Amino acid sequence: MPIDDLEACPVGDLFRRLGDKWSMLLLILLGSRPHRYNELHRAIEGISQRMLTRTVRALEADGLVRREVHPTVPPSVEYSLTPLGQTLLEPLSALADWAVRHEAEMNEARSHHTSA
């Protein structure tokens, strides 16, 4: 497959987004309920504020996450999944189920591969 076709592929584009370290975790968290920024930051161990900001902005740009500013003093910001983001939860759940079902097989294959 030519590299230009690969880079333009919507499947590859989605996998690049979900394959980063934080996007899938954010989507799963927001799938349960809306969260404020600091809630997300506390819930995801190891994520820096800069990376959290970059990740939610990227997911927002993709149309998966909605950012809502509430007119309070100081302003509060809440993140939630958009309807499009909600549609991603079922395939993510199926992928997670597959990973759990096949974890032992993959671990066995890895141990054979590294010992060979």
Side-chain angles (χ1 to χ4, degrees):
M1 175 179 262
I3 191 72
D4 289 341
D5 290 349
L6 184 61
E7 289 178 0
C9 176
V11 175
D13 190 40
L14 177 66
F15 284 175
R16 280 188 293 279
R17 166 69 58 230
L18 297 180
D20 72 27
K21 189 171 182 177
W22 308 111
S23 292
M24 198 174 313
L25 287 171
L26 281 166
L27 291 170
I28 291 167
L29 274 172
L30 294 174
S32 64
R33 64 175 178 81
H35 284 73
R36 291 170 61 146
Y37 181 89
N38 284 330
E39 287 181 298
L40 291 171
H41 191 245
R42 283 190 302 270
I44 303 174
E45 188 175 326
I47 193 169
S48 68
Q49 288 186 342
R50 180 176 184 263
M51 187 53 65
L52 177 58
T53 299
R54 288 179 62 183
T55 305
V56 293
R57 283 183 182 163
L59 292 169
E60 185 181 7
D62 288 340
L64 301 172
V65 169
R66 176 180 322 130
R67 179 180 187 267
E68 185 176 352
V69 179
H70 297 284
T72 58
V73 178
S76 63
V77 177
E78 189 173 72
Y79 296 92
S80 60
L81 291 184
T82 63
L84 180 62
Q86 289 283 342
T87 66
L88 194 51
L89 292 176
E90 185 178 342
L92 285 179
S93 179
L95 186 59
D97 291 345
W98 182 92
V100 169
R101 276 195 316 275
H102 298 286
E103 178 185 21
E105 295 165 78
M106 291 181 66
N107 287 338
E108 184 178 335
R110 287 180 189 134
S111 69
H112 288 320
H113 181 75
T114 57
S115 65

